[in-house]
């Protein structure tokens, strides 16, 4: 069988080349380099099946290059099996082996992307709004890092050690937003333009695109601008049972789900909401009455988050903090206090929340309240180099209630419509204006009535 040719199909199965009109085996139809699927018998024997295999193979090569060589070897071995079968049986057997090989490649390709997840991009400038949205992992580049493509779009995101390539041996280490797919074979200049043309980038050597909110350099309307872009594997939901284990995380009241799958958090809550999922509501407060050198501690304080005690901490417009600390030294010797400080508190420490191992702050009051004591109270405040008693007032800002309903029903509409219009139009105006008034009044009436008429006609 190794020597056999088929005159009906003009095939040479021994070297998988097409037999030309002169009876010789030529490279006209299947002359691709040895070891590739294009050079196998099945492509010449069954063009439809062969073209389909070529397409699938090209996808595998493009998306999963580290495994493509193994796939090619498997296909070559399986399709060049030494089983001596009938002419009909040979074609079917090889097709079946091709199918098995492709299945194996598909499984390996899927395994290569195991652990990589879709990401959500937000915060782009208006000119690059098309870069906002969900990006799906497509494969690994030669660096071993994943590259992504936007769902229902052409935008891509990938890492390039040197986007100029060529003889420029510098390392730029960019994660890049681009409008074309990267090469999975090239080690630098992945888009092949040698000019570092892209839609935006950030310097990073991380294995994955930097998560959270970071400053990217984005091409916004022809000039590159610093833009705060958020990338996350997490998706905000309104279901309290979503814990982020699959990327879906309970995050409400304006919060943004950020982080990686299994480690999602909820940030940027609407004003007045805090908590792991922005689910807890706390009011803003107004502080007044601080001494003159602590006047920047007056102002409006907004709730930021809950500390380990379960109590909220606040920050005012000047960046100063108000929080509860059960022991400001951390050794259990100090009292429970609400504290004014210029340092933000830790949300994980159970005591000494400013982590200075001493009671250093701007002001305090002894209290175990869950919220800062409202009204006017005496606080110890460090003023002009000494501790003094200050009458500090804290007022809670309560949102205005919705308007009460009207005490009675509004009037019903009239049962009948207003009078219908006249059936005929009104009289048209005269074609010309009326005579002008006389220049002087007419003669005055006679002082006596005129004579009575005669009893008979004249």
């Amino acid at each position: 069988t190794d020597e056999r040719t088929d005159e009906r199909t003009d095939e040479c199965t021994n070297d998988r080349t097409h037999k030309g009109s002169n009876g010789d085996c030529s490279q006209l139809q299947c002359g691709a380099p040895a070891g590739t699927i294009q050079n196998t018998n099945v492509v010449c024997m069954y063009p439809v099946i062969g073209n389909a295999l070529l397409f699938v193979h090209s996808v595998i090569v493009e998306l999963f290059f580290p495994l493509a060589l193994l796939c090619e070897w498997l296909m070559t071995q399986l399709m060049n099996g030494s089983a001596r079968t009938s002419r009909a049986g040979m074609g079917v057997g090889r097709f079946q082996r091709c199918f098995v090989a492709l299945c194996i490649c598909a499984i390996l390709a899927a395994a290569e992307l195991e652990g990589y997840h879709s990401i959500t991009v937000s915060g782009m400038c208006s000119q690059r709004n098309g870069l906002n949205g969900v990006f799906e992992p497509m494969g690994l580049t030669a660096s071993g890092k994943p590259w992504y493509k936007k769902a229902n779009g052409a935008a891509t995101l990938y890492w390039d050690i040197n986007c100029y390539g060529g003889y420029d041996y510098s390392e730029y280490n960019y994660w890049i937003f681009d409008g074309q797919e990267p090469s999975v074979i090239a080690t630098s200049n992945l888009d092949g333009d040698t000019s570092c043309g892209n839609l935006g980038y950030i310097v990073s050597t991380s294995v994955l695109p930097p998560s959270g909110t970071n400053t990217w350099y984005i091409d916004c309307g022809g000039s590159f601008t610093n833009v705060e872009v958020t990338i996350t594997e997490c998706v905000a939901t309104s279901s309290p049972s979503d814990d982020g284990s699959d990327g879906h995380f309970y995050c409400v009241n304006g919060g943004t789900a950020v982080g990686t799958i299994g480690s999602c958090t909820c940030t940027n809550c609407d004003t007045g909401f805090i908590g792991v999922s922005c689910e807890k509501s706390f009011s803003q407060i107004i502080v007044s009455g601080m001494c003159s050198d602590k006047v920047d501690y007056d102002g409006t304080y907004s709730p930021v988050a809950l500390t380990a005690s379960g109590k909220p901490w606040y920050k005012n417009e000047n960046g100063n903090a108000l929080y509860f600390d059960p022991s400001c030294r951390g050794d259990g010797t100090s009292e429970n206090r609400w504290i004014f400080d210029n340092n933000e508190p830790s949300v994980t420490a159970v005591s000494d929340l400013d982590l200075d191992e001493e009671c250093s702050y701007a002001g305090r009051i002894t209290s175990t309240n869950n919220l800062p004591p409202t009204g006017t109270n005496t606080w110890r405040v460090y003023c002009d180099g000494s501790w003094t008693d200050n009458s500090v007032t804290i007022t809670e800002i309560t949102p205005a209630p919705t308007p009460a309903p009207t005490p009675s029903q509004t009037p019903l509409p009239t049962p009948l419509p207003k009078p219908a219009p006249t059936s005929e139009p009104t009289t048209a105006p005269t074609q010309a204006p009326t005579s002008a008034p006389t220049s002087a009044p007419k003669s005055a009436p006679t002082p006596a009535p005129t004579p009575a008429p005669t009893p008979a006609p004249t």
Side-chain angles (χ1 to χ4, degrees):
T1 59
D2 291 343
E3 301 283 333
R4 183 179 60 186
T5 60
D6 190 324
E7 299 298 336
R8 291 172 300 170
T9 56
D10 289 340
E11 292 167 356
C12 296
T13 58
N14 57 335
D15 59 2
R16 293 173 295 282
T17 56
H18 190 278
K19 185 178 182 182
S21 59
N22 60 359
D24 297 327
C25 291
S26 68
Q27 298 286 331
L28 296 178
Q29 298 296 325
C30 301
T36 64
I37 192 172
Q38 293 95 327
N39 198 39
T40 56
N41 186 11
V42 70
V43 177
C44 293
M45 293 170 62
Y46 308 103
V48 175
I49 296 174
N51 289 334
L53 289 175
L54 292 180
F55 172 76
V56 174
H57 178 265
S58 67
V59 173
I60 292 175
V61 171
E62 181 65 22
L63 301 185
F64 312 110
F65 178 74
L67 292 174
L69 294 179
L70 177 59
C71 290
E72 290 178 358
W73 181 83
L74 284 172
M75 291 182 207
T76 302
Q77 296 302 310
L78 289 171
M79 292 196 299
N80 291 340
S82 60
R84 298 175 180 270
T85 62
S86 66
R87 180 69 181 136
M90 181 180 295
V92 174
R94 289 188 174 180
F95 173 73
Q96 290 173 334
R97 290 192 290 273
C98 287
F99 182 76
V100 172
L102 288 175
C103 288
I104 293 173
C105 289
I107 293 171
L108 293 174
E112 184 179 66
L113 284 180
E114 184 69 26
Y116 297 102
H117 307 279
S118 61
I119 58 176
T120 302
V121 176
S122 60
M124 288 288 177
C125 53
S126 59
Q127 296 88 340
R128 292 299 174 200
N129 186 57
L131 295 178
N132 289 325
V134 177
F135 283 70
E136 302 287 352
M138 303 302 293
L140 302 182
T141 62
S143 67
K145 298 179 182 180
W147 72 275
Y148 302 79
K149 188 172 184 179
K150 188 179 178 185
N152 301 321
T156 58
L157 174 61
Y158 58 87
W159 185 84
D160 198 337
I161 191 173
N162 180 355
C163 51
Y164 289 99
Y167 296 103
D168 183 353
Y169 296 105
S170 304
E171 292 186 2
Y172 295 92
N173 299 310
Y174 289 166
W175 274 99
I176 291 173
F177 284 103
D178 206 340
Q180 62 189 72
E181 297 182 3
S183 166
V184 296
I185 302 174
T187 57
S188 63
N189 184 32
L190 270 62
D191 63 358
D193 63 1
T194 68
S195 64
C196 223
N198 57 68
L199 304 178
Y201 65 89
I202 189 173
V203 178
S204 173
T205 58
S206 61
V207 175
L208 299 175
S211 63
T213 301
N214 296 280
T215 302
W216 287 67
Y217 209 43
I218 305 297
D219 180 5
C220 297
S223 62
F224 278 82
T225 307
N226 289 331
V227 179
E228 298 301 307
V229 177
T230 300
I231 295 181
T232 175
E233 290 183 356
C234 304
V235 178
T237 74
S238 58
S239 175
S241 62
D242 287 336
D243 61 1
S245 57
D246 62 352
H248 293 83
F249 188 69
Y250 177 49
C251 185
V252 292
N253 297 316
T256 301
V258 298
T260 57
I261 290 178
S263 301
C264 298
T265 58
C266 188
T267 63
N268 300 325
C269 310
D270 286 343
T271 300
F273 293 94
I274 59 177
V276 174
S277 298
C278 295
E279 79 284 8
K280 297 183 181 296
S281 173
F282 292 93
S283 299
Q284 291 178 295
I285 57 176
I286 297 176
V287 174
S288 60
M290 285 286 190
C291 55
S292 59
D293 70 334
K294 292 293 185 292
V295 69
D296 58 335
Y297 283 85
D298 285 338
T300 301
Y301 284 72
S302 299
V304 178
L306 298 179
T307 63
S309 67
K311 297 177 171 63
W313 75 272
Y314 302 78
K315 181 191 284 189
N316 76 351
E317 58 268 31
N318 299 315
N320 294 314
L322 172 60
Y323 58 89
F324 173 82
D325 197 332
S327 175
C328 53
R329 288 192 183 89
D331 58 4
T333 61
S334 50
E335 299 177 301
N336 296 291
R337 295 169 177 171
W338 277 93
I339 289 173
F340 286 106
D341 200 344
N342 61 357
N343 295 311
E344 295 184 3
S346 166
V347 295
T348 56
V350 295
S351 61
D352 184 25
L353 270 62
D354 61 358
L355 307 177
D356 62 359
E357 298 183 353
E358 59 182 1
C359 292
S360 177
Y361 40 72
R364 71 174 189 268
I365 189 172
T366 301
S367 171
T368 59
N369 288 1
N370 289 327
L371 297 174
T374 56
T376 301
N377 296 278
T378 300
W379 288 66
R380 292 287 287 175
V381 181
Y382 196 71
C383 298
D384 296 321
S386 63
W387 287 99
T388 61
D389 290 337
N390 263 62
S391 294
V392 177
T393 301
I394 296 180
T395 305
E396 183 178 355
I397 300 176
T398 56
T402 55
T406 54
S408 59
Q409 290 181 323
T410 54
L412 295 174
T414 56
L416 297 174
K418 293 182 178 180
T422 56
S423 57
E424 296 180 358
T426 55
T427 306
T430 57
Q431 293 180 346
T434 55
S435 302
T438 56
S439 57
K442 295 181 179 181
S443 303
T446 57
T450 55
T454 57
T458 58

